[in-house]
């Protein structure tokens, strides 16, 4: 690491300088394009999508029905394999409990922990995958690294198309004295389906995860407006820098393997169309969205938001938000028309327009767009400052 990459924060103690997405801006080039000539299509392994979207595996925004709707809208819906839909035959009463607790005021962590104390049932994992598959879309399910060996066989037997192994932070070199750790490289090598793993926070971790044989690596710890990971654990990832580091790892791995391309998927406080464009401009192939989708009428949480780590039985890192009123259908949120100027609807229509304004035809070209630091800070997407409930 060169001296210009670090700042001395005290005698003989250095910290690397990192940048968040709202600290950079996209610079137009000398060329513009017609928006109708721009493609936002993205392909991972054999699966092609019209928009570079993977949903967060949050029960607040993804049910089997909404996963189908996301697929029909051109993205990839990821169901939480350890969520309400694989713990309960009918999770509707649990959704009501969470919504009522959220409406009462304080973040109801205890309610979330009680609701998620019900054991995961492998037969429900299979049933939900078959339900999503019946909708004619690409199916994906998220399982935590700790439970992959226990739960993944049911998902694979049910014919899931993509397996997502995701935790707050995932490494290819987990060290433990408490039994055997999951060996990602051996596990992935034995599978016939592509695997997406994450999250990674730097170049080294991203490169090691690519070497496991993963088709995609999630970059970022998933922290959003409501996350308390920073407060609870002291961990925060400047996402623009993390994406750029992972993109460098992707390039080096491409050279190392003679042509194997691993996709970089950005995951963090990506809550507006501008943040989506910045993440892709930094080198991401796709983005993982959660909180922005709660404003869709189809969101099973009814406008309430919580992430999977908010229900952690021993160390919750977040709570629930108050419900927001739907801004439209899922199609409106993703493709418009936008009826507000806050960057929270027509998310991917806005991306296409950004690409057109900067002169790029497709996402791979757009990753070469020029960036600048500082000088402009967009309006905060924090609901407490932009007039939205929460």
């Amino acid at each position: 690491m060169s001296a210009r990459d670090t700042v001395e924060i005290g005698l003989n103690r250095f910290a690397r300088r990192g940048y968040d997405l709202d600290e950079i801006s996209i610079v137009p080039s000398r060329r513009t394009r017609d928006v109708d000539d721009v493609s936002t299509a993205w392909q991972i392994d054999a699966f092609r999508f019209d928009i570079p979207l993977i949903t967060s595996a949050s029960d607040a925004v993804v049910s089997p029905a909404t996963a189908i709707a996301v697929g029909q809208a051109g993205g990839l819906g990821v169901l939480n394999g350890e969520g309400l839909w694989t713990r309960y035959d009918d999770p509707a009463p649990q959704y009501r409990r969470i919504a009522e607790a959220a409406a009462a005021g304080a973040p109801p962590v205890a309610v979330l922990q009680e609701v998620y104390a019900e054991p995961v049932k492998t037969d429900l994992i299979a049933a939900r995958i078959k339900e999503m598959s019946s909708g004619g879309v690409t199916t994906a399910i998220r399982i935590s690294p700790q439970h992959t060996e226990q739960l993944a066989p049911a998902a694979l037997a049910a014919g899931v198309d993509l397996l997502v192994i995701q935790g707050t932070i995932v490494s290819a070199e987990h060290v433990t004295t408490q039994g055997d750790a999951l060996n990602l490289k051996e596990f992935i090598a034995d599978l016939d389906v592509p695997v997406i793993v994450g999250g990674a926070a730097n170049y080294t971790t991203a490169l090691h995860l690519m070497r496991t044989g993963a088709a995609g690596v999630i970059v970022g710890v998933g922290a959003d407006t409501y996350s308390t990971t920073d407060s609870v654990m002291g961990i925060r990832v400047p996402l623009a820098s993390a994406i750029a580091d992972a993109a460098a790892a992707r390039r080096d791995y491409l050279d190392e393997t003679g042509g194997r391309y691993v996709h970089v998927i950005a995951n963090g406080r990506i809550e507006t169309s501008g943040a989506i464009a910045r993440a892709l401009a930094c080198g991401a192939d796709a983005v993982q969205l959660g909180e922005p989708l709660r404003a869709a009428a189809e969101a099973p949480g009814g406008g309430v938001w919580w992430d999977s780590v908010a229900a952690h039985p021993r160390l919750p890192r977040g709570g629930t938000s108050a419900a927001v009123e739907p801004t439209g259908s899922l199609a409106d949120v993703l493709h418009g028309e936008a009826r507000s100027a806050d960057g929270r609807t027509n998310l991917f229509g806005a991306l296409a327009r950004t690409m057109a304004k900067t002169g790029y035809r497709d996402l791979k070209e757009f990753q070469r767009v020029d960036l600048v630091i500082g000088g402009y800070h967009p309006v905060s997407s924090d609901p407490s400052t932009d007039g939205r409930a929460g």
Side-chain angles (χ1 to χ4, degrees), residues 330-384:
L330 180 67
D332 291 330
V333 172
L334 299 180
H335 299 295
E337 301 291 328
R339 292 179 174 81
S340 65
D342 59 1
R344 284 180 167 265
T345 51
N346 197 5
L347 296 175
F348 291 93
L351 170 64
R353 193 165 295 273
T354 299
M355 293 168 63
K357 293 289 187 184
T358 53
Y360 294 94
R361 295 179 300 183
D362 56 39
L363 295 175
K364 292 309 300 178
E365 283 192 359
F366 183 60
Q367 290 174 345
R368 300 197 298 267
V369 69
D370 286 339
L371 301 172
V372 293
I373 298 169
Y376 169 72
H377 295 280
V379 175
S380 171
S381 62
D382 185 336
S384 65

Side-chain angles (χ1 to χ4, degrees), residues 125-172:
I125 291 177
R128 303 310 185 194
I129 290 170
K130 291 176 181 177
E131 184 178 348
M132 293 186 291
S133 181
S134 69
V137 300
T138 302
T139 59
I141 196 162
R142 173 262 177 190
I143 298 173
S144 65
Q146 299 93 320
H147 299 119
T148 294
E149 292 183 315
Q150 174 191 356
L151 301 178
L156 297 168
V160 73
D161 293 316
L162 282 156
L163 183 65
V164 180
I165 301 175
Q166 184 177 11
T168 302
I169 298 171
V170 173
S171 76

Side-chain angles (χ1 to χ4, degrees), residues 3-206:
R4 66 177 177 230
D5 292 325
T6 63
V7 176
E8 187 173 10
I9 61 173
L11 289 176
N12 298 316
R13 188 62 170 139
F14 297 86
R16 184 177 178 187
R17 179 69 171 99
Y19 298 92
D20 275 314
L21 290 177
D22 61 2
E23 295 181 87
I24 65 167
S25 294
I26 294 168
V27 181
S29 68
R30 64 181 177 82
R31 179 184 293 115
T32 57
R33 276 182 200 281
D34 192 295
V35 69
D36 293 330
D37 294 332
V38 167
S39 171
T40 59
W42 169 65
Q43 182 166 334
I44 182 168
D45 203 84
F47 304 103
R48 185 185 184 279
F49 303 96
D50 292 335
I51 54 176
L53 166 66
I54 293 178
T55 68
S56 169
S58 167
D59 291 320
V61 294
V62 181
S63 66
T66 51
I68 292 172
V70 169
Q72 292 171 340
L76 175 64
V78 181
L79 187 72
N80 187 0
E82 299 169 34
L84 298 180
W85 293 91
T86 60
R87 296 174 191 263
Y88 298 93
D89 290 315
D90 178 13
Q94 311 310 321
Y95 276 108
R96 286 195 294 270
R97 282 190 66 191
I98 295 170
E100 290 167 1
V109 172
V111 172
L112 288 173
Q113 290 174 326
E114 290 175 13
V115 165
Y116 284 87
E118 179 74 14
V120 173
K121 301 171 180 64
T122 54
D123 60 328
L124 284 178
I125 291 177
R128 303 310 185 194
I129 290 170
K130 291 176 181 177
E131 184 178 348
M132 293 186 291
S133 181
S134 69
V137 300
T138 302
T139 59
I141 196 162
R142 173 262 177 190
I143 298 173
S144 65
Q146 299 93 320
H147 299 119
T148 294
E149 292 183 315
Q150 174 191 356
L151 301 178
L156 297 168
V160 73
D161 293 316
L162 282 156
L163 183 65
V164 180
I165 301 175
Q166 184 177 11
T168 302
I169 298 171
V170 173
S171 76
E173 297 181 0
H174 181 66
V175 178
T176 180
T177 59
Q178 309 299 316
D180 296 329
L182 172 67
N183 186 315
L184 276 172
K185 188 170 186 178
E186 291 181 1
F187 181 82
I188 292 173
D190 291 336
L191 300 183
D192 293 327
V193 303
V195 178
I196 297 171
V197 299
N202 55 36
Y203 169 92
T204 302
T205 305

Side-chain angles (χ1 to χ4, degrees), residues 59-62 95 99 294 298-306 323:
D59 291 320
V61 294
V62 181
Y95 276 108
R294 69 179 175 131
E298 297 92 331
V304 178
W305 166 253
W306 67 96

